[in-house]
């Protein structure tokens, strides 16, 4: 089954906001067996939204729209839906009560704009939003001909024409209970990510699951580090050619790692053992590089390794400015093994708090093996942990020299038995360097932990 | 002028990677007067890529494609371009030399896959990639009829049909020197963000600028804090209605702030003074809430305020786990005013390193006004700064109680003259809570700094 996603908002098209909704929806739908065919981003413009709906209905069974449902005047999604599916906006008392309650809890009085949020297309099914004021909306579309969808509940009203009679409210209530099997579904949700997620998790996914019954896609993801994408591709080329035709291989390079994903879209009983056998073959080809046999982030793997052994870790960060700490603590439950970080963005803090030798800072400079190792040892001692990782480098765009260009970083890992350090040289982009430095710190910590265990 | 963007990659459609290229391209193109009409994301599939090109050429003057140019076998963009525009892949010696040099610098030998990267469509103009091995490609498209584009250099070869004669290499060289004015342009770039950015900044944007000559869009963005979107909309409703017809207003709510953006797509000499007058009116309506009159991020505003007064700041973070530090240090030049952070993810570190009273930790709990204030004072003293901000809260999903539910955070700001703290209560989502806590910490720091200055 296919999904289509429409992201609505001038703020996205102008580049002021990055769309994170489509990747989340795709990931979650994939788990229940839907493949996203396309994501179309359009502005707050009726014609563009309408065209995008047509395009998605051509290729997808379920269409998700996010954005354009807020209380402000640039939000027009509901009006487009009405015009397109020949219906009109009616006030929904349940939604209005929800809006009033949501606002009341935050001590905010109901405004005329908020009342507008309680208007929903007459033929739509309301998807309750318990975490925000804009309701979700579901339209059921039974018949697509020449890419022009018709509304199932209105035998007379086609697209772009008003229905002769508006469906009664009672019909809406009964449709909520029982959906006709294979009709296409169109969902309109708020663009605020956590509201969208709430609606999907609590209302929409359960609803879709109930009405379609597909096998999930089989995915096997491996995490590799310490190898360039092109070298890997060359090394495993024969193995790749040997994969059965229904197996799709994707390379997903990240900042300090590559994920290899094997996908089977029509899995059967033999799929899992077949894939496991192919993974065993792969292990023999690149034995040094595979650090995990699951779709796991570096920061999650750090946590898993530490938790398994009841070890703790601390970080000392200069150039990464809290990024390593932030990644580690993005994982729920990280307080079990993570004690904290000293972000030493100036030499004074390196010396005063972490105990790095002032003489060494002078002699070798802050970006050096010696300083990185003293930072790692220093924070391990200060925060009393088993492991520690430290970064010191030049993220850029300024601060580089011929000897130590922008993109240079020294990373040190302190373990219960030793301290090791390594230099990496990356590029010129500050934001990317910070990501790469932080990912490399996690990779290096993982490799050292796996060596000792 | 309009732009269209095509993002290619199964990894995007499966939700494993978030597309950040389209927002960057849109933002940069907007600066030079292009409005992005649509962004279409498709998988590594020829038909989908081809359809997306048609769609974009219908609505856009310039089409950008990212992804599908790497050295691995799932990358097919170049093949699709050849089939679509009736040409074939030829080895480009200059690209091959670049690939060999790029790899050589990293001590990697040229593989057969890498040689494949030097194949480019015969009628394409190569856009040199100095930071990666996959070249950019430019196709010039002179004639669009019935949404089927034809290639200017081949009078016989339409879409999906092979040309009777392949254009000679020499013709390519001459086209590189002079572009025909208003032909549509199609660019194919690598999906790796920093490579795409490099190509855009150094090659493609200068090229587009040279050949089109539009006025830039006029934008004025205001940053507001401490007001809900719906309240703001209600308060400024009359003002909004009074805006001239060619002015577009957008609300861009973020975690602890709202940006209001006024856009004029056909600006003239009077635009700036008109908009300034409307901003003056707005100031009288919401005098307390506007914290900046430019499109600036909270972390950038923190830096600006500190730099103006030669003040320094430090952070002490519990629940935000380095996120506040990470935001502050994402700004280039932050080492001028940011000295560092203590991420105290356990009480031991709060007491031992930051000097929070163990008795108070016991009595009030870690998530309390008292502890937040002692963290802020403690880190201000330890790192010897003018200002400090501290966070302590419950990001979730576990760790909440009736009295202190998940989403509760105490934020404290220590200034040269006082320490203040405030409680905020947000939602249940860990990742969102961390973002909101961190943004609120920056907002609170800004408000306190603006009060004192």
């Amino acid at each position: 089954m296919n999904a289509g996603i429409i992201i609505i908002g001038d703020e996205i098209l102008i580049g002021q906001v990055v769309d994170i909704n489509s990747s989340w929806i795709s990931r979650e739908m994939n788990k229940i067996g839907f493949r996203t065919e396309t994501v179309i981003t359009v502005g707050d413009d009726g014609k563009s939204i309408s065209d995008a709906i047509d395009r998605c209905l051509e290729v997808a069974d379920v269409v998700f729209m996010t954005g354009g449902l807020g209380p402000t005047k640039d939000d027009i999604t509901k009006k487009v839906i009405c015009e397109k599916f020949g219906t009109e906006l009616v006030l929904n008392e349940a939604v209005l009560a929800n809006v009033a309650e949501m606002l009341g809890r935050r001590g905010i009085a109901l405004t005329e704009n908020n009342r507008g949020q309680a208007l929903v297309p007459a033929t739509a099914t309301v998807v309750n939003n318990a975490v925000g004021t804009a309701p979700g909306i579901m339209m059921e579309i039974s018949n697509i001909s020449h890419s022009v969808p018709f509304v199932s509940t209105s035998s007379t009203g086609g697209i772009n024409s008003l229905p002769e009679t508006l469906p009664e409210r009672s019909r809406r209530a009964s449709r909520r209970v029982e959906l006709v099997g294979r009709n296409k579904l169109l969902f309109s949700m708020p663009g605020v990510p956590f509201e969208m997620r709430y609606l999907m998790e609590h209302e929409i996914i359960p609803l879709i699951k109930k009405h379609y019954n597909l096998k999930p896609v089989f995915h096997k993801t491996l995490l590799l580090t310490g190898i360039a994408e092109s070298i890997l591709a060359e090394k495993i080329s024969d193995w790749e050619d040997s994969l059965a035709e229904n197996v799709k291989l994707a390379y997903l390079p990240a900042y300090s790692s590559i994920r290899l994903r094997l996908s089977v879209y029509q899995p059967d009983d033999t799929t899992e053992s077949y894939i496991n056998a192919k993974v065993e073959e792969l292990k023999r080809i690149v034995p040094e590089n595979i650090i995990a046999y699951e779709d796991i982030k570096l920061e999650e793997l750090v946590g898993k390794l530490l938790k398994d052994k009841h070890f703790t870790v601390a970080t000392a960060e200069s150039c990464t400015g809290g990024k390593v700490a932030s990644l580690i603590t993005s994982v729920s439950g990280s307080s079990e093994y993570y004690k904290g970080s000293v972000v030493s963005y100036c030499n004074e803090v390196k010396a005063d708090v972490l105990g790095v030798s002032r003489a060494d800072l002078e002699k070798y400079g802050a970006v050096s093996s010696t300083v990185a190792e003293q930072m790692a040892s220093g924070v391990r001692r200060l925060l009393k942990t088993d492991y520690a990782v430290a970064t010191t480098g030049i993220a850029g765009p300024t601060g580089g020299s011929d000897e130590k260009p922008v993109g240079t970083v020294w990373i040190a890992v302190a373990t219960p038995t030793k301290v090791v350090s390594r230099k990496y040289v990356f590029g010129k982009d500050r934001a990317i360097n910070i990501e790469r430095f932080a990912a490399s710190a996690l990779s290096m910590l993982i490799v050292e932990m796996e060596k000792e265990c």
Side-chain angles (χ1 to χ4, degrees), chain A residues 56-73:
Chain A
C56 281
L57 284 173
E58 271 175 40
V59 296
D61 304 286
V62 176
V63 179
F64 300 98
M65 306 168 72
T66 73
L69 285 180
T72 59
K73 297 182 182 181

Side-chain angles (χ1 to χ4, degrees), chain A residues 170-242:
Chain A
S170 62
R171 205 184 291 175
R172 254 171 64 228
S174 69
R175 287 174 57 248
R176 207 177 290 202
V177 181
E178 198 181 1
L179 284 171
V180 184
R182 287 278 169 161
N183 287 349
K184 296 204 174 194
L185 299 177
L186 175 81
F187 294 95
S188 169
M189 297 177 278
V192 183
F194 84 98
E195 292 189 27
M196 180 281 293
R197 288 178 200 173
Y198 180 91
L199 285 182
M200 287 290 290
E201 282 174 351
H202 294 84
E203 304 284 339
I204 295 174
I205 291 179
L207 195 149
I208 293 169
K209 263 186 183 163
K210 212 172 142 191
H211 289 275
Y212 296 97
N213 197 17
L214 275 200
K215 284 178 190 170
V217 183
F218 183 93
H219 294 297
K220 179 80 187 177
T221 304
L222 309 177
L223 186 65
L224 292 88
T225 191
I227 189 164
E229 186 186 2
S230 60
I231 301 285
L232 178 65
E234 193 77 8
K235 274 198 175 179
I236 68 174
S237 174
D238 290 344
W239 173 83
E240 190 175 343
D241 289 338
S242 80

